[in-house]
Amino acid sequence: MNNTTETCLPATSHSSITVLMGLVFFVGFILNVFSVWVFCCRLLSWSAGTVLQFNLALSDALATPVTPLMAVYFAMGNEWTSGRFLCQVKIALLSSHFYGSTIFLTLISVHRYTAVVHFNKRCFMKDKSSIKKLCAGMWLLLFALSLVYAFILPTTKEGKSRQCFNFSQKNLTNTFFAINFVLFTVGFLLPLGISASCYFCLSDTLTRLNTSNPKGLKVKLKSQRMIRMCLVIFGICFLPMNVIRTTGVVLIKYYPQRCSALQSVQTAYYASWIFAGVNGCLDPLLYCFGSHSFREAFGF
């Protein structure tokens, strides 16, 4: 059994994963550059919702610098050749990107809920100045956590290949297990639960609101559409990666001898990066179809 564990090397990714991941992140990069340009150059006034959407676009942009490094990593058969420092940069930017996205998607959902349910009351989530401070606090938290992850997850040698930020790093099994618990529960399940609660509570509230007039109907459709889109992004982009990574860290901690199962999960984990990259392509649709001011900047 010990010999089996020692020879269970990390699975290598298929070349199609590299190509598809590069394509998805490139399309996402173009769309997010366009979105940031709209926010900065075309929108004359920002609401609290616009501030949240802009911060979501910034979190998507964080994936851009590390995409070439990831493409080379996969193309080299999962051999990290860029050194420890760039590995730390990769970890910091990717963790800020993925979990910054979940945070700001959740805040957008909460904002739309409060905009409808508390439309005639003063509320923290509707105040632009308060939202700016909240976003600044979220960024400080994200960068602090990402730096911690970057320093406690060094590169390691697994067989003949050097690994970076991969749950197959056996010397970091306990560290990955603990970090994954935080990321899965606080970084994914909690935001998903809050967003889903906002959607169902909003749906329940709207059944009791007067939406017979055009303005009320417009508010109802816009709010439901935005929160529904947030939930779709959670399901398509973040659910596969979090579930597969959690399965992987459990397998490698408790069943390290099951080499075939581990390698299958690792291959699935590499493929889940493609779905995670789709996040950068779907978020601009959230701005376009859920924000009147974003569409109005182009006379839509």
Side-chain angles (χ1 to χ4, degrees), residues 104 110 249:
F104 291 115
V110 174
V249 297

mmCIF file of all heavy atoms in Angstrom, residues 104 110 249:
data_model
loop_
_atom_site.group_PDB
_atom_site.id
_atom_site.type_symbol
_atom_site.label_atom_id
_atom_site.label_comp_id
_atom_site.label_asym_id
_atom_site.label_seq_id
_atom_site.Cartn_x
_atom_site.Cartn_y
_atom_site.Cartn_z
ATOM 1 N N PHE A 104 -18.843 39.497 -4.420
ATOM 2 C CA PHE A 104 -19.532 40.612 -5.067
ATOM 3 C C PHE A 104 -20.820 40.171 -5.755
ATOM 4 O O PHE A 104 -21.774 40.946 -5.847
ATOM 5 C CB PHE A 104 -18.581 41.330 -6.033
ATOM 6 C CG PHE A 104 -17.480 42.072 -5.331
ATOM 7 C CD1 PHE A 104 -16.156 41.699 -5.490
ATOM 8 C CD2 PHE A 104 -17.775 43.109 -4.469
ATOM 9 C CE1 PHE A 104 -15.145 42.363 -4.815
ATOM 10 C CE2 PHE A 104 -16.766 43.787 -3.789
ATOM 11 C CZ PHE A 104 -15.448 43.407 -3.957
ATOM 12 N N VAL A 110 -27.911 40.768 -2.608
ATOM 13 C CA VAL A 110 -28.459 41.427 -1.416
ATOM 14 C C VAL A 110 -28.934 42.838 -1.765
ATOM 15 O O VAL A 110 -29.990 43.289 -1.295
ATOM 16 C CB VAL A 110 -27.404 41.467 -0.292
ATOM 17 C CG1 VAL A 110 -27.917 42.278 0.900
ATOM 18 C CG2 VAL A 110 -27.032 40.060 0.149
ATOM 19 N N VAL A 249 -9.428 16.555 -2.038
ATOM 20 C CA VAL A 249 -8.684 16.666 -0.785
ATOM 21 C C VAL A 249 -9.128 15.588 0.209
ATOM 22 O O VAL A 249 -8.326 15.111 1.027
ATOM 23 C CB VAL A 249 -8.830 18.072 -0.159
ATOM 24 C CG1 VAL A 249 -8.230 19.129 -1.063
ATOM 25 C CG2 VAL A 249 -10.275 18.393 0.189
#
